[in-house]
Amino acid sequence: MVDILLEGDGLAVAAVTKLLAGHCAVGRVAGERRKKLPVVLLNRASGKLYEDVFERGLPQGVWPIERRVVRWGGRTQEFPHAALVVGEEELLRHVERETEVAAEGAFRVVASRGEMERVGQREAVIWRAWLKPGVRGDACWVEAVPSGWLFAVARSEAEAVVIEVGGGLEESQLVAGVIGETEFLGRFASEPGIARELRGQNWVACGGAALRFDPICGEGTGHAMREAFLLSAILRRGDREEGMWAMYEDRLRAGFSRHLAQCLAATRQSNLPCLAVAASHATLVAECLSQNTALTRRKRRWPQLG
């Protein structure tokens, strides 16, 4: 008999599966599959969370990042940085678990689909790139350009992955100086969003079906695991008390509001017209969220970002 049915194939579902092991009978279906990201950048806190949740170290082949080079608002600065780079598929293969066959009527945790209230509409383009001779493969590079921003991160001593959001390499003064040839890998929607409904009769949303974060702030992996901690604690109680679910919703909305505030701060610092327009809209969204956590239940449309 399956008590909980998990729908999805991402990190949040994998974490909930692990945290419920031995407490609930868990079934799992893949749901709507999405193409996995070629790189995930884990800071120390997210890496430790991963190890704590799954009770094992990170997969082999992670690549260390020791520097962050930033050209944002006209100046180029370099900072120490302690992070690890790994492919999303590698993270998930490392923690796959067997689950029981799904049973009809089980409580559903949905992480792979759902209608989202999106803050604008922006597409990111991902490239595989080769570092130019003499460029050290221990860094990530972040750059605001006139029509958007660029992020590049070393994947080895010779290769990197580049993400373009709005802008292109032809506008770059920093990233274009460290990479040579490129190979197109794909596209993905990069705008932040929150589910119109976070829970309903016999189901709750988590992971990418609940929140989607803008890659400009790099918070998605850590937040997915923190969601999993809270959600699994509620599910393990078994009583599904209304107050616990209200707390879960409030925490997710508060996290989304903080994320938008961070996006706002980043865009304001860039001093670029395209991002300044986006920042003015992000302010409205953050204010709406902070003033009324029940906003999405009323189907109010978000102001558009960008």
Side-chain angles (χ1 to χ4, degrees):
M1 175 65 181
V2 170
D3 301 314
I4 310 294
L5 177 61
L6 303 168
E7 182 181 317
D9 63 349
L11 197 59
V13 161
V16 173
T17 303
K18 175 65 172 67
L19 291 166
L20 290 180
H23 299 275
C24 308
V26 176
R28 187 167 164 183
V29 292
E32 295 180 10
R33 294 185 179 274
R34 64 169 178 82
K35 189 173 182 180
K36 301 301 183 288
L37 296 174
V39 290
V40 173
L41 188 65
L42 297 173
N43 60 26
R44 284 182 177 175
S46 295
K48 188 65 169 64
L49 267 178
Y50 180 96
E51 293 176 344
D52 288 348
V53 169
F54 296 108
E55 299 180 306
R56 61 174 60 193
L58 290 161
Q60 293 184 348
V62 295
W63 187 256
I65 299 299
E66 299 174 355
R67 298 180 297 126
R68 183 174 78 257
V69 185
V70 180
R71 184 177 176 81
W72 203 262
R75 293 189 304 157
T76 300
Q77 298 175 283
E78 182 173 318
F79 306 93
H81 198 54
L84 296 168
V85 174
V86 62
E88 189 178 9
E89 286 280 12
E90 296 168 71
L91 275 181
L92 291 168
R93 279 198 304 268
H94 191 54
V95 295
E96 284 182 347
R97 294 178 60 88
E98 294 291 332
T99 58
E100 300 182 32
V101 177
E104 188 175 349
F107 185 86
R108 300 177 73 90
V109 174
V110 180
S112 67
R113 59 187 171 87
E115 293 188 59
M116 306 289 289
E117 291 285 2
R118 299 176 185 273
V119 184
Q121 187 173 3
R122 291 184 305 288
E123 186 176 64
V125 181
I126 310 176
W127 304 87
R128 180 186 182 191
W130 281 261
L131 296 172
K132 288 183 176 179
V135 175
R136 290 159 49 196
D138 64 347
C140 61
W141 298 266
V142 188
E143 180 180 14
V145 295
S147 58
W149 59 275
L150 304 169
F151 173 76
V153 61
R155 193 67 176 89
S156 70
E157 288 289 357
E159 294 182 16
V161 170
V162 179
I163 300 176
E164 298 178 348
V165 180
L169 283 168
E170 67 278 0
E171 300 177 303
S172 170
Q173 298 183 50
L174 173 65
V175 173
V178 299
I179 65 169
E181 295 183 10
T182 59
E183 175 188 329
F184 176 76
L185 293 180
R187 304 173 186 271
F188 69 94
S190 66
E191 69 273 6
I194 185 169
R196 293 184 180 179
E197 299 288 348
L198 288 169
R199 62 186 174 109
Q201 184 66 37
N202 212 38
W203 67 270
V204 66
C206 80
L211 301 179
R212 294 182 186 175
F213 285 171
D214 192 315
I216 197 171
C217 290
E219 298 178 306
T221 302
H223 198 280
M225 288 184 285
R226 290 191 293 273
E227 268 183 55
F229 267 116
L230 179 56
L231 179 56
S232 60
I234 296 172
L235 293 172
R236 283 162 61 167
R237 285 171 54 91
D239 57 10
R240 316 278 157 76
E241 181 186 334
E242 174 64 23
M244 300 297 290
W245 289 124
M247 178 185 69
Y248 176 75
E249 287 191 77
D250 287 347
R251 289 299 179 99
L252 264 59
R253 290 196 172 95
F256 188 62
S257 183
R258 285 192 299 271
H259 172 68
L260 290 175
Q262 290 176 326
C263 293
L264 171 61
T267 54
R268 280 179 169 166
Q269 290 168 8
S270 71
N271 295 322
L272 295 174
C274 67
L275 295 178
V277 171
S280 67
H281 291 298
T283 302
L284 294 174
V285 176
E287 288 175 354
C288 287
L289 278 167
S290 64
Q291 291 170 8
N292 188 350
T293 58
L295 184 63
T296 55
R297 296 181 200 154
R298 298 205 304 270
K299 303 295 191 298
R300 179 172 170 179
R301 298 297 301 173
W302 299 109
Q304 292 300 291
L305 178 63

